[in-house]
Amino acid sequence: MPELPEVEAARRRLDPFFTGYRIDDVVLRRPDLRAPFPRRFRARLVGRSVVTFTRRAKYLLATMSSGETLLMHLGMSGSLRVNCRPTGDDRSVNARHDHVVFAMSSGAAIIFNDPRRFGLMDLLTRRQLDAHPALSTLGFEPLSQDFDAAALAGACYRRNAPLKVALLDQKTVAGLGNIYASEALHAACLSPLRKASSIATAAGEPQPAACQLVTAIKQVLEKAVERQTARTYQAARFRVYDREGAKCLRPGCGGTVRRRVQAGRSTYYCPRCQR
DNA sequence: ATTGAGACCTGTCGGC
DNA sequence: TGCCGACAGGTCTCAA
């Protein structure tokens, strides 16, 4: 279930097994995911060490001692797990969809599993990284300092698309996905149907709605990252997502959650308290 | 320039 | 029980 919080949680979980260690082996169990693996993928990785392991939007980036960057995307159904004892006791049910295994000098095996294969792995030179079409067009990183009301208003200024659709666009906010876009709009009491431009003035300055929305996005994402990172697993509980027909959880609202399709994706919202 | 529809692929769930 | 359609957390491309 990879949106920004899931990807960030995966990064934190893997980092201690990845950063500073050498890749001793790469096993590719099929020729492609969403796209073919790049040429000489294995040869360019084996023997190199991971220097840094970072996240940008929903992408994971491992910079290697060779100077190249391993780029990973989990797509819709991808996940990464660590097996500390590769010699035997991995009891994963899904081994059928284990497509890539990195054997690290830490002794850990890092396994990429992705049933739907919408995920992606690529290996980029410095030059390719800087010019990458998907990465270079990404918008603000929502948990960073420079994502504030003015930034969001600027990104939504003069956009006719519905607010929810604009939020899903990675050029607006990098890493928001379908669940947390709905959740953030509900937290901010803003309708997903209103025009994106309505949170900015005619001059592109932030309206109060832009402040509410920025605060809500940060809160919703931070809470989700925390929950995902917690040692004891806690099942996700959403306030609106996937709750069509149920009572709005905002105290005193009494509305009913509705579902509708925007840009081909399900949006959940409470028409009573989201304006 | 934006926007919507369709494509990519497998798994799961509800209805009959 | 089994078959079938609808749908799922993301992104890309193509046509209007």
Side-chain angles (χ1 to χ4, degrees), chain A residues 7-258:
Chain A
V7 178
E8 175 59 23
R11 190 198 66 75
R12 293 184 190 183
R13 215 175 49 249
L14 259 51
D15 186 57
F17 300 93
F18 227 25
T19 302
Y21 293 102
R22 194 181 59 240
I23 296 182
D24 282 343
D25 196 11
V26 179
V27 181
L28 293 184
R29 302 185 49 193
R30 47 173 306 118
D32 57 5
L33 294 169
R34 185 169 92 210
F37 291 101
R39 274 176 49 76
R40 303 185 57 247
F41 186 69
R42 180 176 182 280
R44 287 156 71 189
L45 287 171
V46 169
R48 318 291 187 172
S49 298
V50 176
V51 179
T52 62
F53 188 44
T54 56
R55 179 190 59 75
R56 176 81 174 98
K58 299 168 196 164
Y59 292 89
L60 290 167
L61 297 93
T63 52
M64 308 302 300
S65 51
S66 59
E68 295 194 301
T69 297
L70 170 63
L71 183 73
M72 299 186 274
H73 195 289
L74 301 177
M76 285 281 243
S77 59
S79 64
L80 287 158
R81 69 179 193 282
V82 179
N83 179 1
C84 296
R85 303 199 178 181
T87 52
D89 72 337
D90 185 10
R91 291 171 221 279
S92 165
V93 223
N94 278 348
R96 175 153 123 75
H97 300 296
D98 287 350
H99 305 310
V100 185
V101 180
F102 299 104
M104 306 301 296
S105 60
S106 57
I110 293 170
I111 301 157
F112 179 86
N113 179 287
D114 185 6
R116 284 176 80 177
R117 303 207 304 274
F118 286 170
L120 181 74
M121 275 201 201
D122 205 351
L123 194 51
L124 306 170
T125 62
R126 187 58 204 267
R127 187 181 296 272
Q128 290 171 324
L129 181 66
D130 291 340
H132 197 279
L135 294 176
S136 57
T137 52
L138 288 172
F140 291 96
E141 195 61 43
L143 296 182
S144 74
Q145 294 270 341
D146 29 315
F147 180 61
D148 57 17
L152 182 60
C156 290
Y157 174 50
R158 283 187 175 158
R159 290 185 63 178
N160 277 320
L163 186 52
K164 155 76 160 32
V165 176
L167 287 182
L168 231 38
D169 182 343
Q170 301 296 293
K171 293 193 276 300
T172 316
V173 189
L176 259 200
N178 202 37
I179 293 181
Y180 296 108
S182 279
E183 292 295 307
L185 285 166
H186 181 257
C189 304
L190 295 173
S191 169
L193 310 178
R194 65 193 272 162
K195 268 192 188 183
S197 58
S198 70
I199 67 165
T201 66
E205 300 297 315
Q207 298 272 18
C211 304
Q212 291 164 224
L213 186 50
V214 164
T215 306
I217 289 171
K218 287 179 187 273
Q219 264 177 15
V220 162
L221 293 179
E222 271 162 12
K223 251 184 102 175
V225 171
E226 238 172 85
R227 187 170 45 70
Q228 307 263 345
T229 312
R231 290 189 54 190
T232 53
Y233 175 77
Q234 299 168 54
R237 296 201 317 278
F238 302 119
R239 308 278 297 174
V240 280
Y241 183 81
D242 205 20
R243 295 191 64 247
E244 182 180 22
K247 270 267 150 62
C248 174
L249 293 177
R250 189 183 312 287
C253 170
T256 301
V257 175
R258 288 244 287 268

